[in-house]
Amino acid sequence: TSGMGFFDGQNWFHIWCAANEGFKLADSDKVLSPVGWKYLGSRKVKDTYDEVVIESEHEGEIDGTRVTMKRTASFRAWDDYVMMSVSFTNQDDVPIRYSFTYGDEPWVGRYGSSSGDIGWHKNGIVSTETALSPAEGKYVGFWDYGNVFAGEGHNFSGYADFIEWLSPTPSYVFFSNDFTCCTVDKLISSADKRVLGIVWNDITLEPGESSEHSFAFGIARTGPNGMPVAPVIEVKKK
């Protein structure tokens, strides 16, 4: 249940909350959330002056089908973001097909409040519940700027976050007031649950096969035009 904050020299501002995740097999209604996985262990992969990489392993079961998960997080000094990868391995003796969702209601600016948060991506802002094609760009986020269509002014912190998917390309990305639905053209106006989610659908794994989902998330700075801009992500080779 961790999160991410930013200290500007005088005050703390909330940037990310604890992420919401869901893993689902195509032929089951059961969804594994983070608390549904069995913890198997963890280790430090790297621990230096300017970089820490940690890794953990987990096991999950859906209707008798066993899947293992490995998570790797990289924290580097001076970066405005954290690198994350989540990999799944099919431990069954038959192929499986799964979907994976990663998202958050980040409460940008003030912890516990979604007021002021509007969606943004490289082509503009998002003020209504919307499903975006990954072709719109490789990152999205929330901006604590104020949704004027929901009756909000611009008396907010102005801070923004971002999440960038590295691989594979997701099926779609959505902004909503609720993780369970996305109603086109409904205003993003919830007081505490303005959410974004990234969805990967219909990924097939043969017995013993693994897949990896990699992304980065952190704070977005203000660009020359006053809009948020995501940092350039440096991906190191393994």
Side-chain angles (χ1 to χ4, degrees):
T1 56
S2 59
M4 182 183 295
F6 177 73
F7 184 66
D8 69 352
Q10 293 182 317
N11 299 293
W12 281 98
F13 294 90
H14 201 248
I15 302 299
W16 283 101
C17 198
N20 295 268
E21 299 181 41
F23 177 90
K24 182 180 180 299
L25 294 180
D27 56 355
S28 176
D29 292 330
K30 183 178 179 181
V31 177
L32 279 178
S33 65
V35 296
W37 294 84
K38 178 183 178 182
Y39 171 71
L40 299 179
S42 60
R43 66 190 182 100
K44 288 186 291 185
V45 178
K46 186 175 183 180
D47 185 5
T48 65
Y49 172 76
D50 60 358
E51 184 175 12
V52 174
V53 179
I54 57 177
E55 184 178 274
S56 64
E57 295 184 357
H58 312 260
E59 181 181 73
E61 184 177 309
I62 298 179
D63 300 335
T65 298
R66 193 167 66 91
V67 179
T68 52
M69 175 176 65
K70 183 172 73 173
R71 307 172 67 83
T72 306
S74 173
F75 305 83
R76 295 187 300 209
W78 327 123
D79 279 345
D80 284 343
Y81 56 88
V82 174
M83 301 285 290
M84 172 76 80
S85 70
V86 181
S87 63
F88 302 102
T89 302
N90 178 11
Q91 300 293 351
D92 208 343
D93 55 4
V94 296
I96 63 172
R97 188 160 51 94
Y98 76 87
S99 62
F100 176 54
T101 303
Y102 188 97
D104 195 10
E105 67 275 37
W107 296 337
V108 183
R110 183 163 62 90
Y111 178 81
S113 172
S114 289
S115 296
D117 294 351
I118 57 171
W120 74 278
H121 55 99
K122 72 171 187 176
N123 294 323
I125 63 173
V126 179
S127 57
T128 61
E129 295 191 356
T130 304
L132 295 174
S133 164
E136 294 283 349
K138 289 184 65 66
Y139 56 80
V140 294
F142 268 115
W143 183 16
D144 190 33
Y145 179 70
N147 187 348
V148 294
F149 299 103
E152 297 175 338
H154 296 310
N155 188 29
F156 294 93
S157 70
Y159 285 104
D161 65 19
F162 82 97
I163 182 166
E164 178 172 336
W165 50 92
L166 304 174
S167 67
T169 301
S171 302
Y172 63 92
V173 181
F174 69 90
F175 290 93
S176 181
N177 292 289
D178 193 316
F179 276 111
T180 62
C181 64
C182 182
T183 306
V184 177
D185 293 335
K186 181 179 179 180
L187 284 174
I188 296 176
S189 58
S190 172
D192 60 356
K193 291 183 180 178
R194 303 183 195 188
V195 304
L196 62 84
I198 302 174
V199 182
W200 291 268
N201 277 333
D202 296 327
I203 297 177
T204 299
L205 292 180
E206 298 294 328
E209 187 179 12
S210 300
S211 62
E212 183 177 70
H213 302 261
S214 299
F215 42 91
F217 56 93
I219 189 172
R221 302 295 185 165
T222 302
N225 63 354
M227 284 281 295
V229 59
V232 176
I233 304 300
E234 177 191 353
V235 179
K236 292 184 177 181
K237 293 184 179 180
K238 292 183 178 180

